[in-house]
Amino acid sequence: MHIKLFESNSKTDQLKKIFIDFFIRNGAVTIADISKETDLSIPTVTKILGEMLADNIVLDCGKSEHSGTRKATLYNINPNMGYFIGVDIQRSLIAVALTNFAGELLKFKIYSDFKLTDNESSYIRLVQVIEQFLNEITIDRKHILNIGLNIPGRIDTTNGISYYYMHQKEEPITCSLEKKFNIPFQIDNDTRAMCYGEYMCGVGNGEKNVIFVNMSWGLGISIISDGKLYYGKSGFSGEWGHMHVFDNEIMCHCGKKGCLETEASGSAIYRKFLENYKSGHTTILKDKIEAGNEIVLNDILDAVKKDDILSIELIESAGRTLGKYIAGLLNIFNPELLILGGSVGAIGDYLAFPVKTGIMKYTLNYVNNDTDLRVATLGNKAGAIGACMLNRSKCLGLIKNNF
C-alpha cells in the first residue's frame, strides 16, 4: 500500500496527509472546499488531487447536488487504501476490530478465553488471538497498515513497552510481534484508545476539549485539549485513579494506599460487594456464591440491571465519590464534554445520575454549565476501534510517538 506517503516528510506528501485528514473529518468535498481549508490555490489543490487520484488514494465521487449551472466534482478518501486492526487487551478478554481507512468497522470479535497477567501465558494467548483473527478476515495481510495494541497501565508508546503487563525483558512487545507477523505494531494505553474511539466514532460531536473517564476494574482518564490527545512529557498521563485522596488502609494494586481507585472503581465495587455479602446483606447472586462459583465484576453489573439492591447501592456510592473528584477536574480543565466510559461506565444512568449529583455539589456552577456529560456509546468496541483510529492518525502524523 501507500507506506511511502506515510513515511515521507516531503512538502507535497505532508499536504496529501492534510488532505486525507480533511476528508476523514468532512467526508466528500470539492476542490474549492480544500482550497479554502488549506489556503492553497485552486491549481495547486488540483495538481495534488490529481496525483492522489492516480495513486488510488482518493476517489472521484461524482458531482455535488447543490443547485446551479455548474456542479462541482466531489472527492473523498479511498476507504480501501489500507486497513487497521485494533487489539484491546482487557482483564478477562481480548477485543479485536478491523477498520478500513475511512474508519468503517468491518469486523469485531471478542475472545473471552483470556486472563491478563504479568507472565508469559498472556503473551502466548495474545499471539494466538491475533493469528486467529488474521486468518478469519478476508483482507490480505500486506494491506494491513498497522496493528494497534491497548494495554492497561503505564505504556511507553515511543519504544513499544508495557511496564505493568507483558513486559518483554529481551525486547519491546511491539518488536516481538512485528517479527512474528511481519506487520507494523503500535502500543498505547487502554483508556487513551477508548477516549479516541469515542471522540472519533462514538459520542463525540466535534468538541475540542474532552475528558474521558474510564471506570472499569481500575480508574483512569484521558484528556483531549484543543482537539489533540494529551500524553504528557513521556506519555504517562491519565493515572488519575492513583491520586491519593483517602486515609484508608486499602492497598491499591499500584502498591500505595489511599488511592482514589480504592473507593471509586470496579475493583472497589467488587471488594465492597463481597464484604457486604459476608456481613449479611442479601443479593440475587447468593445462589451462585453458595454454589461455589466465582463472582466477577460483570456479574455485579448484570445484577444492577436486574434490580439487585446491594449492587445498585454500591454503584451509586461509587458514582457519588467519582462525581466529587470529577468536579475538581472540571474546575481545572473546563472541558466542553465529559464522557463516562469503561465497563462500569456502560451501566448508564445507574452511575451517571450519582456522578452528576457529585459534580453539581462540588463543582463551580459556571464551570458545570459549560460541560455536557455523556455516557460512552461504543461499549466494549471503544478500545479496539480507538486503537485503529489512533494508528490511522499516527500514520498521518497527527499524533507523534516521540515525546
Side-chain angles (χ1 to χ4, degrees):
M1 302 307 288
H2 306 282
I3 301 298
K4 289 183 179 179
L5 166 65
F6 303 132
E7 296 177 346
S8 171
N9 289 317
S10 72
K11 183 177 179 180
T12 298
D13 283 348
Q14 291 301 314
L15 288 173
K16 290 177 182 178
K17 294 175 188 177
I18 292 172
F19 286 17
I20 292 171
D21 180 48
F22 188 57
F23 291 131
I24 289 171
R25 290 185 286 109
N26 296 277
V29 295
T30 66
I31 290 177
D33 294 328
I34 301 173
S35 175
K36 182 179 180 181
E37 170 71 12
T38 59
D39 200 28
L40 295 170
S41 67
I42 295 292
T44 299
V45 173
T46 302
K47 178 179 182 297
I48 295 173
L49 271 182
E51 294 179 6
M52 297 175 77
L53 281 164
D55 288 336
N56 208 30
I57 298 173
V58 169
L59 299 177
D60 182 331
C61 299
K63 300 296 183 180
S64 63
E65 296 181 356
H66 69 78
S67 59
T69 55
R70 294 189 62 184
K71 295 183 178 181
T73 301
L74 292 169
Y75 300 92
N76 205 349
I77 192 171
N78 178 2
N80 300 318
M81 65 178 288
Y83 301 85
F84 299 98
I85 290 177
V87 182
D88 186 33
I89 302 169
Q90 301 180 27
R91 181 177 173 82
S92 58
L93 62 85
I94 299 176
V96 189
L98 170 72
T99 67
N100 60 21
F101 210 96
E104 297 166 328
L105 182 63
L106 304 180
K107 182 178 176 64
F108 176 78
K109 186 171 181 179
I110 290 177
Y111 300 83
S112 56
D113 183 18
F114 176 78
K115 187 172 182 179
L116 181 58
T117 65
D118 58 358
N119 57 43
E120 191 177 6
S121 62
S122 291
Y123 176 76
I124 293 172
R125 179 57 182 150
L126 171 64
V127 170
Q128 293 173 345
V129 165
I130 295 173
E131 183 67 41
Q132 184 176 341
F133 188 83
L134 286 170
N135 290 334
E136 291 174 353
I137 62 177
T138 58
I139 306 299
D140 192 306
R141 295 191 186 193
K142 66 182 180 182
H143 297 317
I144 304 296
L145 297 181
N146 215 308
I147 296 179
L149 297 179
N150 306 331
I151 302 182
R154 194 155 58 96
I155 302 296
D156 181 347
T157 59
T158 303
N159 298 304
I161 299 171
S162 166
Y163 289 100
Y164 288 173
Y165 303 103
M166 300 190 191
H167 183 60
Q168 308 289 304
K169 295 181 180 179
E170 297 80 12
E171 60 184 352
I173 185 172
T174 51
C175 292
S176 301
L177 293 170
E178 285 174 1
K179 291 177 181 178
K180 172 70 177 176
F181 295 102
N182 197 29
I183 298 173
F185 274 76
Q186 297 273 5
I187 188 173
D188 219 311
N189 173 264
D190 61 334
T191 300
R192 194 174 292 124
M194 293 166 69
C195 173
Y196 205 61
E198 289 290 344
Y199 177 69
M200 296 295 293
C201 303
V203 74
N205 190 30
E207 294 85 1
K208 295 293 185 181
N209 299 286
V210 180
I211 294 178
F212 177 89
V213 177
N214 175 17
M215 191 176 185
S216 298
W217 184 255
L219 180 66
I221 62 169
S222 182
I223 299 167
I224 293 176
S225 178
D226 194 26
K228 298 179 181 178
L229 275 171
Y230 180 77
Y231 276 80
K233 182 181 184 300
S234 302
F236 301 150
S237 69
E239 295 291 345
W240 181 57
H242 300 297
M243 179 175 68
H244 179 84
V245 295
F246 300 111
D247 291 325
N248 61 31
E249 289 299 310
I250 301 171
M251 184 71 71
C252 181
H253 79 268
C254 72
K256 301 183 184 297
K257 298 178 181 178
C259 293
L260 177 58
E261 191 171 296
T262 63
E263 298 289 349
S265 65
S267 57
I269 293 168
Y270 180 79
R271 185 193 73 246
K272 292 181 179 182
F273 179 89
L274 295 181
E275 291 173 351
N276 277 268
Y277 174 74
K278 290 176 182 177
S279 66
H281 287 74
T282 185
T283 171
I284 62 174
L285 295 174
K286 178 181 178 180
D287 291 343
K288 184 172 183 178
I289 297 172
E290 292 185 348
N293 296 316
E294 181 186 7
I295 294 294
V296 297
L297 178 59
N298 281 339
D299 291 323
I300 300 172
L301 299 178
D302 289 339
V304 169
K305 301 172 186 177
K306 298 175 182 176
D307 299 324
D308 182 61
I309 298 301
L310 174 58
S311 301
I312 291 172
E313 288 177 346
L314 292 174
I315 292 288
E316 289 179 343
S317 176
R320 287 192 297 270
T321 300
L322 189 66
K324 176 180 179 179
Y325 293 98
I326 287 176
L329 291 176
L330 302 189
N331 288 338
I332 294 170
F333 291 102
N334 187 209
E336 303 161 71
L337 176 62
L338 170 69
I339 305 174
L340 289 181
S343 59
V344 181
I347 203 68
D349 288 341
Y350 290 102
L351 180 70
F353 282 161
V355 166
K356 288 180 182 178
T357 299
I359 290 174
M360 292 177 66
K361 185 176 180 179
Y362 293 102
T363 195
L364 300 171
N365 283 336
Y366 51 82
V367 174
N368 182 36
N369 291 337
D370 279 345
T371 305
D372 187 13
L373 188 154
R374 300 174 198 160
V375 175
T377 57
L378 295 180
N380 58 14
K381 297 183 178 71
I385 292 175
C388 295
M389 299 300 97
L390 277 172
N391 276 5
R392 183 179 67 180
S393 291
K394 289 174 182 178
C395 279
L396 294 173
L398 305 175
I399 297 175
K400 306 293 185 182
N401 265 344
N402 51 330
F403 301 104

